[in-house]
Amino acid sequence: MTERILEHPVLGSLEAGKTVTFTFNGLEYEGREGEPIAAALLAAGVRTLRHHEESGKPRGIYCNIGHCFECRVEVDGIQGVRACLTPVRDGMAVRESGVLPSPVRDWRKNNA
Amino acid sequence: MTDRDMIVCRCEEVTYGELTDTAEKFGCTSRELKLRTRAGMGYCGGRTCRSLVDAIALAATERDVTQITLKYQPPVRPVHFGDLGVITND
Amino acid sequence: MRDLIIIGSGPAGLTAAITAAEHGLDVLVLDEYHKPGGRLLGQLYEEPGGTWWNGIEESRKLAERAGVLGLDIRLGKSVHNIEQVNSSWLVHADCETFEAKSLLLATGAAEAPVAIPGWTLPGVMSVGAAQVMTNVHRVKPGKRGVIIGVNVLSSAIAMELKIADIEVAAIALPKTNQVNGSASNPTEVMNALLHVSHMAPSLFVKMGSKLMKNDFMKKMGITFYPKNGVRMWDIPVMLRKAVIRIEGTDQVEGVTLATVTADGKVIPGTEEVIGCDFVCIAGGLYPLAELAALTGCPFYHINELGGFVPLHSQDMRTPLDGLYVAGNITGIEGAKVAMSQGKTAALSIAKDLGQDIADTSLSEAVRQISSTRTDAHIQFHPEVDAGRRKLQEYWDLHDAEKRKVMV
């Protein structure tokens, strides 16, 4: 479980902020208004944001600034949204898109 | 997990073994390595693994300092089809 | 039509926007992040005088000045294509297209990785990711971390994690393979570190850096480098141990380290596992120049600048009409250099658009880029000056060719 840095020797105290409630894969979480989805989930101890579309292996944030797309999730029905740079909003429904079928690869295993 | 099974391209899950075998077999450039293995052709457009793919290819080929090794093509970020071709008069 | 679109609201982009607005230009700034500041946001280090360079505070100052000038800054906008049509620039961002007479690319840098078996596990992140989580979002990346890759950036961020009370169990090398290159070679890493020895005097006093002037002594230094590392800010910096594997089933549980020879070969039987819940990958930075590459602008690979950079002049012009660059897209350097490049770019743009900019103020701005570079506390590459000279030679060649064609 990770935690928030409430006091910082150089940056000072974390400003009081509004709490928002959102869901990830159907479970309810709280976040600070304005922070990215990935930060809110990490603060709640959630590291796995998706499973690879083909292999199903777990993935979490990697670059955290929008370059790598490893944190892509589905937000209110829109796929491919980067959790690292999308601020959480009250009532937001976040879920992972899940593993996709790979018929060509599966066919090749036995035929190619 | 061995080195051979290590993933180099995170998007397309192309392994170190696949890349080094391909580079050795064909003595190929980064571009050919990409086309043969799909490394760098996934969601991030190769932003994460391009330096690694380059390093494998450069073991067999010389670097041309005037040519970007893995070409960039638009769109450089994934775009929803619905968002393409929309003209707004801003 | 707008005078100028700036892509990137980091130190270069914001400084350029402010300067351009001060000279009466109509400017639009686009950035895909939800806060202005770019990579500047995460930065936090103590300067030689004992004052802190606080990136959040610096970003806030720039954004505040931009606000006073009424600048149009649109955040959360990802640019996916740019094109020059007739004599204007079209910028395609998500579902919108913007048009301007000139375009400044200030897209900064991206992180290059080193690859280690297990590096796709949740809990493994780039070192910059841990920095942003800690300093910007104020969420700990984990309780105890290991940083893979010993360089200027990773050392600076290790210290930032430490300040935020996050334990860094070790900074170690990546294991040697075809993709990790010199980052996995203890001797080469030590040579690179000697250039920044002023950052951590105690570390290098222990290593006897005064004795390291010749290659033989360097070799001795790395041969006798303590296996368990030398402590810097109480974090063990390991140059003779490499991470050979990241352990964990569903997320990071630890790393396996092994002792390596002076040229990075793993010594069998020396493996040990240490526990951690996050791992940072630190392979350095490279100029993020993908948008410039779409325009047909010539590029050159210059090691000292961090990779391929778009051809540009000292006053930040590219060979393409109306296209300018500033900041880390031109080569990896600190935020202060980026700011002075941003200012210079804005003056060149204003001049090219017919504003009354004295030649002396432009040359003064160019001079300031070099003096900022000389005064910089850290250099990402010790030979950055040589890199800049190489690029200038390419520019001069290009310029001479162009003149020939015109004659």
Side-chain angles (χ1 to χ4, degrees):
Chain A
M1 184 83 173
T2 54
E3 50 190 294
R4 291 189 188 275
I5 302 159
L6 302 175
E7 293 297 329
H8 189 288
V10 183
L11 300 171
S13 304
L14 188 62
E15 283 169 38
K18 206 183 140 206
T19 301
V20 295
T21 307
F22 68 101
T23 62
F24 177 60
N25 288 343
L27 295 175
E28 207 163 87
Y29 292 91
E30 284 187 342
R32 282 165 57 84
E33 191 175 55
E35 76 179 345
I37 298 165
L41 285 172
L42 185 58
V46 178
R47 286 202 185 279
T48 301
L49 299 176
R50 58 178 259 270
H51 288 80
H52 190 269
E53 290 83 350
E54 274 190 56
S55 69
K57 286 180 193 147
R59 296 293 179 90
I61 59 155
Y62 179 70
C63 82
N64 206 15
I65 55 164
H67 291 163
C68 76
F69 285 79
E70 283 284 55
C71 65
R72 57 187 182 263
V73 287
E74 192 179 304
V75 175
D76 295 333
I78 297 170
Q79 288 188 343
V81 177
R82 286 165 283 180
C84 72
L85 43 72
T86 306
V88 278
R89 284 188 315 271
D90 226 2
M92 197 179 231
V94 183
R95 52 184 291 264
E96 57 170 301
S97 292
V99 180
L100 300 170
S102 313
V104 174
R105 184 196 57 187
D106 297 343
W107 180 87
R108 277 173 65 117
K109 257 182 216 159
N110 300 318
N111 299 281
Chain B
M1 184 190 271
T2 65
D3 265 14
R4 287 191 55 80
D5 298 330
M6 173 176 77
I7 287 168
V8 170
C9 167
R10 300 169 66 107
C11 300
E12 293 291 312
E13 296 207 324
V14 184
T15 63
Y16 182 74
E18 280 173 81
L19 285 163
T20 48
D21 287 353
T22 308
E24 201 175 322
K25 188 168 170 193
F26 299 100
C28 49
T29 60
S30 301
R31 177 178 150 75
E32 192 180 338
L33 201 49
K34 168 176 117 168
L35 294 174
R36 286 186 182 278
T37 62
R38 286 200 60 78
M41 291 176 84
Y43 221 105
C44 86
R47 251 185 307 278
T48 312
C49 71
R50 61 169 46 236
S51 61
L52 307 176
V53 174
D54 252 9
I56 293 173
L58 286 171
T61 53
E62 280 285 304
R63 183 189 288 289
D64 176 351
V65 297
T66 68
Q67 289 294 321
I68 289 189
T69 25
L70 290 167
K71 196 180 156 197
Y72 290 99
Q73 294 193 86
V76 296
R77 295 287 185 277
V79 190
H80 292 275
F81 275 116
D83 287 346
L84 274 177
V86 179
I87 295 169
T88 49
N89 287 313
D90 180 70
Chain C
M1 199 198 299
R2 273 196 190 81
D3 294 317
L4 170 65
I5 293 172
I6 298 174
I7 304 175
S9 70
L14 282 182
T15 308
I18 290 166
T19 309
E22 284 169 349
H23 285 87
L25 302 192
D26 179 12
V27 186
L28 170 69
V29 182
L30 300 172
D31 196 299
E32 70 180 331
Y33 208 60
H34 60 287
K35 292 177 182 199
R39 287 242 107 165
L40 178 57
L41 282 170
Q43 293 177 10
L44 189 64
Y45 61 86
E46 200 173 1
E47 296 192 298
T51 53
W52 284 83
W53 174 259
N54 175 348
I56 294 181
E57 191 53 29
E58 296 300 325
S59 303
R60 199 188 51 76
K61 278 190 226 161
L62 288 171
E64 219 171 73
R65 178 75 187 129
V68 169
L69 291 164
L71 272 165
D72 188 358
I73 301 178
R74 302 199 199 173
L75 303 169
K77 292 264 174 240
S78 290
V79 174
H80 57 81
N81 194 12
I82 56 175
E83 47 185 341
Q84 191 178 27
V85 175
N86 302 321
S87 56
S88 69
W89 285 94
L90 296 183
V91 174
H92 305 284
D94 300 325
C95 56
E96 285 176 276
T97 295
F98 304 96
E99 192 176 0
K101 290 175 202 156
S102 10
L103 177 59
L104 170 63
L105 301 177
T107 47
E111 279 190 68
V114 289
I116 298 294
W119 75 299
T120 56
L121 278 171
V124 181
M125 62 194 83
S126 75
V127 75
Q131 179 187 47
V132 170
M133 241 351 145
T134 304
N135 295 345
V136 184
H137 306 320
R138 301 284 288 266
V139 175
K140 291 188 178 182
K143 285 209 176 306
R144 186 174 201 253
V146 169
I147 298 177
I148 309 176
V150 187
N151 52 49
V152 175
L153 186 67
S154 72
S155 319
I157 297 176
M159 190 202 58
E160 296 174 11
L161 296 175
K162 179 87 189 167
I163 296 171
D165 201 24
I166 298 160
E167 187 186 351
V168 180
I171 311 179
L173 299 176
K175 72 159 293 178
T176 302
N177 57 32
Q178 263 193 57
V179 294
N180 292 342
S182 61
S184 61
N185 183 302
T187 309
E188 288 192 39
V189 171
M190 196 183 67
N191 281 344
L193 285 179
L194 288 173
H195 291 281
V196 292
S197 56
H198 62 288
M199 275 180 74
S202 61
L203 171 64
F204 296 93
V205 167
K206 280 182 192 157
M207 281 165 57
S209 68
K210 289 200 179 71
L211 301 173
M212 302 272 187
K213 298 292 184 221
N214 67 56
D215 287 345
F216 174 75
M217 289 312 292
K218 280 179 188 164
K219 186 84 184 163
M220 294 295 282
I222 198 64
T223 304
F224 292 107
Y225 191 89
K227 298 288 182 286
N228 287 324
V230 171
R231 285 181 177 263
M232 171 170 71
W233 305 299
D234 214 29
I235 301 166
V237 179
M238 296 173 172
L239 295 182
R240 290 297 303 278
K241 280 188 188 178
V243 175
I244 60 169
R245 212 164 39 243
I246 299 166
E247 308 290 351
T249 316
D250 296 322
Q251 59 184 46
V252 172
E253 292 163 26
V255 300
T256 297
L257 288 167
T259 303
V260 294
T261 62
D263 51 5
K265 285 194 188 68
V266 170
I267 300 171
T270 59
E271 294 86 355
E272 57 181 310
V273 178
I274 61 169
C276 60
D277 64 351
F278 77 100
V279 167
C280 296
I281 300 281
L285 298 166
Y286 72 90
L288 186 61
E290 51 199 12
L291 289 172
L294 301 179
T295 65
C297 176
F299 270 78
Y300 290 93
H301 188 276
I302 298 180
N303 262 331
E304 296 88 339
L305 300 181
F308 280 101
V309 292
L311 182 61
H312 61 275
S313 64
Q314 287 180 322
D315 41 21
M316 315 321 285
R317 293 177 170 106
T318 72
L320 279 76
D321 283 339
L323 186 69
Y324 306 80
V325 286
N328 270 353
I329 188 176
T330 74
I332 305 305
E333 297 198 66
K336 289 178 187 173
V337 173
M339 290 159 107
S340 55
Q341 289 178 322
K343 183 182 172 184
T344 307
L347 292 176
S348 294
I349 294 163
K351 192 176 171 67
D352 294 349
L353 289 175
Q355 299 279 327
D356 185 23
I357 305 288
D359 284 338
T360 48
S361 48
L362 193 51
S363 57
E364 170 57 22
V366 169
R367 205 194 51 76
Q368 251 182 37
I369 299 174
S370 331
S371 62
T372 310
R373 179 172 299 133
T374 311
D375 296 342
H377 181 42
I378 52 170
Q379 292 294 5
F380 286 88
H381 196 290
E383 304 297 332
V384 66
D385 262 327
R388 293 285 172 200
R389 280 197 298 276
K390 271 187 206 169
L391 191 74
Q392 185 60 39
E393 283 165 24
Y394 287 128
W395 177 265
D396 292 341
L397 274 174
H398 184 88
D399 218 35
E401 285 296 313
K402 204 164 119 189
R403 275 170 218 276
K404 251 188 256 166
V405 175
M406 283 167 75
V407 171

